[in-house]
Amino acid sequence: GYLITPIYHHAPHSSPTTETAIVGDLRDKKVLTQIETINAHTLIHCAAVIPKQFEGTAAEEAAQANQIIDRDIIHFAQQKNICLIFMSSSSVYGLTNGPWDENSPVNPQGPYGREKIAAEQQILSHLKNNPVIFRLSAPYGTRQKYKTVLSIFIEKALRNEDLYYFGSGSRRQDFTAVDDIVRAAICAIQNPDSTGIFNIASGQPVSMKELAQL
């Protein structure tokens, strides 16, 4: 399968620094059975199938896979009564230009964004142990699996190749380093009274032309 998700937890009767890993597809019931043996305070749910396009058959299939994963993870958090930090997406705001705040109206484009909103609603209505939802804006970092405009530009620049953008290059995007997303998750864990929806972004959007020049 194309969804491989490591889940880390403290091994029984071990020091706090010891970790074991369960690696598998979260749509596999056998993997879910393994996960149910874990006792944890907080679950950070990052797993998702990312479609390459907003619409189309692949986007629908990705949304269906995410629906299954999110449903089971939310049920797991509910049964275990543990804190859930859910990684959503700024794509729920649609293609309109920001800036947005957490109270901005949502207008998701395509099945991926619509499924994210559905999962958010399930979390807020079913989980009582201060759930946290992060709406991430264009996350990037080392070892990322999917090609993005940022990684493509960097790779081409390192090879001294020309960089191409569409139209005038005025489309803007707010790229967010994975390190900052991790810091936000740590803040949420350290402040257990924090709950609800939080936009996670750099606050410094850049146009595609500016990105190419940079």
Side-chain angles (χ1 to χ4, degrees):
Y2 49 86
L3 178 63
I4 306 297
T5 307
I7 299 175
Y8 298 95
H9 65 99
H10 295 309
H13 312 298
S14 65
S15 66
T17 57
T18 301
E19 293 178 335
T20 61
I22 300 171
V23 181
D25 190 325
L26 285 174
R27 293 164 296 178
D28 186 342
K29 294 299 182 183
K30 294 180 181 178
V31 175
L32 289 174
T33 301
Q34 288 180 287
I35 294 172
E36 289 172 357
T37 65
I38 297 173
N39 292 313
H41 175 272
T42 302
L43 170 63
I44 303 175
H45 177 25
C46 311
V49 180
I50 311 296
K52 293 183 178 181
Q53 297 178 329
F54 283 114
E55 301 286 355
T57 302
E60 290 286 354
E61 291 174 350
Q64 291 171 8
N66 291 335
Q67 183 181 33
I68 294 170
I69 294 167
D70 293 341
R71 179 199 63 201
D72 290 340
I73 290 297
I74 293 168
H75 179 72
F76 170 77
Q78 186 177 25
Q79 293 296 107
K80 291 282 188 176
N81 193 33
I82 61 178
C83 299
L84 178 66
I85 299 176
F86 175 61
M87 299 298 172
S88 186
S89 170
S90 62
S91 64
V92 301
Y93 296 114
L95 300 178
T96 58
N97 291 324
W100 310 293
D101 62 32
E102 288 78 1
N103 295 314
S104 297
V106 295
N107 183 29
Q109 300 295 310
Y112 176 80
R114 291 193 290 270
E115 200 286 321
K116 285 292 187 184
I117 286 292
E120 288 184 9
Q121 293 171 343
Q122 289 181 51
I123 289 168
L124 295 176
S125 61
H126 290 90
L127 300 185
K128 306 303 180 184
N129 198 2
N130 289 352
V132 173
I133 294 168
F134 286 167
R135 289 177 176 169
L136 307 180
S137 177
Y140 72 92
T142 57
R143 296 183 294 174
Q144 65 187 53
K145 180 179 177 181
Y146 299 98
K147 292 290 185 182
T148 65
V149 63
L150 186 61
S151 62
I152 292 171
F153 276 12
I154 289 173
E155 290 171 4
K156 285 184 173 292
L158 289 172
R159 294 194 297 265
N160 200 30
E161 296 176 1
D162 291 337
L163 309 184
Y164 297 94
Y165 49 79
F166 292 102
S168 64
S170 60
R171 185 177 73 86
R172 302 178 70 80
Q173 201 162 5
D174 192 334
F175 296 96
T176 310
V178 67
D179 306 62
D180 293 328
I181 297 170
V182 171
R183 291 188 185 98
I186 292 172
C187 285
I189 293 170
Q190 293 176 339
N191 295 274
D193 291 335
S194 299
T195 187
I197 297 171
F198 299 88
N199 288 336
I200 307 296
S202 72
Q204 297 178 328
V206 60
S207 72
M208 296 302 100
K209 182 177 181 179
E210 292 168 340
L211 181 64
Q213 292 170 337
L214 179 64

